[in-house]
């Protein structure tokens, strides 16, 4: 399976990082080795001083497809989970400056938190799926899917023009504003429609 991540999909987040709002989806991949095993704490790697959390809605692909139109895109995903796209912001900034790929900053071990549970799309609100992230009990990010620049169908359609989507592939759909640094001892809790989806200890 592969993990595809959409960048800059919320206007306020693009602004907070000083990026232009994109005219088509920006995406990159994480390897499957990036998945943080269930129940494990997140260990800050020794090569970075600036790990940021990015909470994101995660789509699970459950039908193989390519060149999927927006109209038919809903047939290709059936459930939504919640994840964190951990990012070494210091490393990413250096790579960006040099025009280099982001994998070191985005694809390292443990950088993909994915909820165990995925909620069937039909039991979620159509237009605005609410999600949030708490750091040590304080809300740091909150948004709904209605705030996305590119919606689920546009994302699935766009990505599938470049990469065949396979059953089990996951798409991180971008993070809203409020990203920030984690420190050892922090506890990150993610909620989807008010339901706790994960709790991660940072070490
Ligand atoms: Zn992200």
């Amino acid at each position: 399976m592969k993990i595809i991540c959409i960048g800059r999909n919320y206007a306020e987040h693009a602004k907070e990082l000083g990026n232009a709002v994109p005219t088509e989806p920006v995406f990159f991949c994480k390897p499957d080795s990036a998945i943080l095993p269930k129940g494990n704490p997140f260990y800050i790697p020794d090569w970075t001083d600036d790990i940021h959390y990015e909470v994101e809605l995660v789509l699970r692909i459950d039908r193989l497809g390519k060149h999927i139109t927006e109209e038919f895109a809903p047939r290709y995903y059936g459930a939504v989970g919640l994840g964190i796209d951990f990012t070494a912001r210091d490393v990413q900034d250096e790579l960006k400056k040099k025009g280099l790929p982001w994998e070191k900053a985005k694809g390292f071990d443990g950088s993909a938190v994915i909820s165990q549970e995925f909620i069937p799309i039909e039991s979620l609100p159509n237009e605005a799926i609410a999600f949030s992230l708490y750091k040590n009990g304080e809300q740091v990010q909150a948004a709904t899917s209605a705030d996305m620049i590119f919606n689920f169908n546009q994302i699935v359609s766009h990505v599938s023009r470049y990469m065949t989507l396979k059953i089990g592939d996951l798409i991180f759909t971008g993070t809203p504003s409020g990203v920030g640094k984690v420190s050892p001892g922090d506890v990150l809790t993610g909620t989807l429609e008010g339901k706790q989806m994960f709790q991660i200890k940072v070490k």
Side-chain angles (χ1 to χ4, degrees):
M1 57 83 73
K2 58 186 170 294
I3 302 168
I4 295 156
C5 301
I6 307 298
R8 304 173 190 173
N9 200 24
Y10 291 79
E12 287 302 315
H13 172 62
K15 271 189 227 160
E16 77 181 345
L17 294 186
N19 294 315
V21 173
T23 53
E24 62 174 54
V26 173
F27 70 87
F28 57 91
C29 293
K30 288 180 189 271
D32 58 4
S33 50
I35 296 170
L36 186 70
K38 185 190 172 199
N40 279 26
F42 172 78
Y43 288 93
I44 297 174
D46 60 7
W47 42 260
T48 172
D49 292 318
D50 197 17
I51 291 281
H52 277 199
Y53 53 78
E54 297 188 352
V55 72
E56 312 200 2
L57 294 173
V58 181
L59 286 183
R60 191 177 64 204
I61 298 298
D62 43 16
R63 182 169 167 177
L64 183 137
K66 57 172 140 182
H67 305 298
I68 301 164
T69 62
E70 286 178 32
E71 183 190 359
F72 290 114
R75 298 185 182 184
Y76 291 83
Y77 58 88
V80 179
L82 195 70
I84 297 177
D85 165 20
F86 275 122
T87 303
R89 196 71 72 200
D90 49 356
V91 175
Q92 187 194 27
D93 287 346
E94 278 306 304
L95 294 169
K96 268 192 198 165
K97 257 187 242 161
K98 295 176 185 161
L100 293 171
W102 295 355
E103 272 79 357
K104 285 182 184 175
K106 289 280 199 180
F108 57 90
D109 288 357
S111 64
V113 172
I114 300 161
S115 58
Q116 283 300 113
E117 189 185 351
F118 275 67
I119 299 181
I121 199 103
E122 59 272 14
S123 55
L124 288 167
N126 259 344
E127 290 304 324
I129 301 167
F131 63 106
S132 56
L133 186 75
Y134 294 79
K135 186 171 99 169
N136 307 325
E138 184 191 334
Q139 185 175 275
V140 286
Q141 289 189 278
T144 79
S145 55
D147 302 323
M148 298 192 300
I149 297 168
F150 301 103
N151 65 30
F152 292 161
N153 296 339
Q154 290 170 312
I155 290 169
V156 166
S157 176
H158 185 80
V159 172
S160 73
R161 292 170 65 193
Y162 299 86
M163 293 180 184
T164 298
L165 294 175
K166 294 185 171 181
I167 293 170
D169 286 351
L170 298 173
I171 304 180
F172 279 64
T173 58
T175 198
S177 61
V179 300
K181 187 174 176 170
V182 293
S183 307
D186 284 346
V187 176
L188 299 172
T189 308
T191 68
L192 180 55
E193 285 295 318
K195 179 177 187 179
Q196 183 172 316
M197 299 295 281
F198 58 73
Q199 186 159 70
I200 304 295
K201 287 199 174 86
V202 177
K203 295 204 171 183

